[in-house]
Amino acid sequence: MAVEEPTAVESLDAGPCPIVDALEQVGSRWRLVVLHDLQEGEKRFNELKRSTDASARTLSRVLDDLREMGFVEKRMEPDAPVATFYSLTAKGESLSPVFDEVESWAGEWLEDCAE
């Protein structure tokens, strides 16, 4: 009796793949946009909203997700009105070389890449 080889999809399900796992964490469009934007430093919610063009609902959900996964931290100042700031954790900052490499690749291989 012959043993069938697993298909490509089955082999991905057979064990963890670091690339797939990493992309599941940071691979959504809005997560990447927010993580990239915060590489510049701490920002208030409204600053992120303006710079990313995300709706308030989307941005709030993405920031909650990124905080839960340990990429972003939230700081609140109890002024009137309350000021909420977001910044990268060490885990989030560790993505900086990844963004640099992707930007370098895009500059070389994507014709319409504008800075």
Side-chain angles (χ1 to χ4, degrees):
M1 182 172 185
V3 176
E4 285 187 38
E5 291 293 320
T7 65
V9 173
E10 289 171 339
S11 65
L12 281 178
D13 293 337
C17 175
I19 297 292
V20 173
D21 290 347
L23 289 176
E24 284 178 0
Q25 293 250 321
V26 298
S28 80
R29 174 181 187 247
W30 290 113
R31 286 180 188 168
L32 287 170
V33 168
V34 170
L35 287 167
H36 184 261
D37 205 44
L38 286 174
Q39 296 291 319
E40 298 171 6
E42 183 179 69
K43 292 192 176 184
R44 293 178 74 154
F45 182 88
N46 284 333
E47 289 177 299
L48 281 168
K49 189 172 171 292
R50 277 191 303 275
S51 62
T52 63
D53 283 334
S55 69
R57 181 178 179 171
T58 297
L59 182 57
S60 180
R61 180 181 47 80
V62 167
L63 286 167
D64 287 345
D65 289 348
L66 291 171
R67 285 180 57 225
E68 186 176 304
M69 292 183 289
F71 289 101
V72 170
E73 57 191 8
K74 178 180 178 178
R75 180 177 67 85
M76 296 179 75
E77 288 190 3
D79 297 335
V82 174
T84 306
F85 295 87
Y86 294 90
S87 60
L88 295 174
T89 62
K91 183 177 179 180
E93 289 174 354
S94 71
L95 291 169
S96 182
V98 175
F99 283 112
D100 292 344
E101 286 296 319
V102 170
E103 286 176 0
S104 176
W105 177 87
E108 183 177 342
W109 293 99
L110 302 179
E111 292 178 19
D112 296 333
C113 185
E115 299 215 11

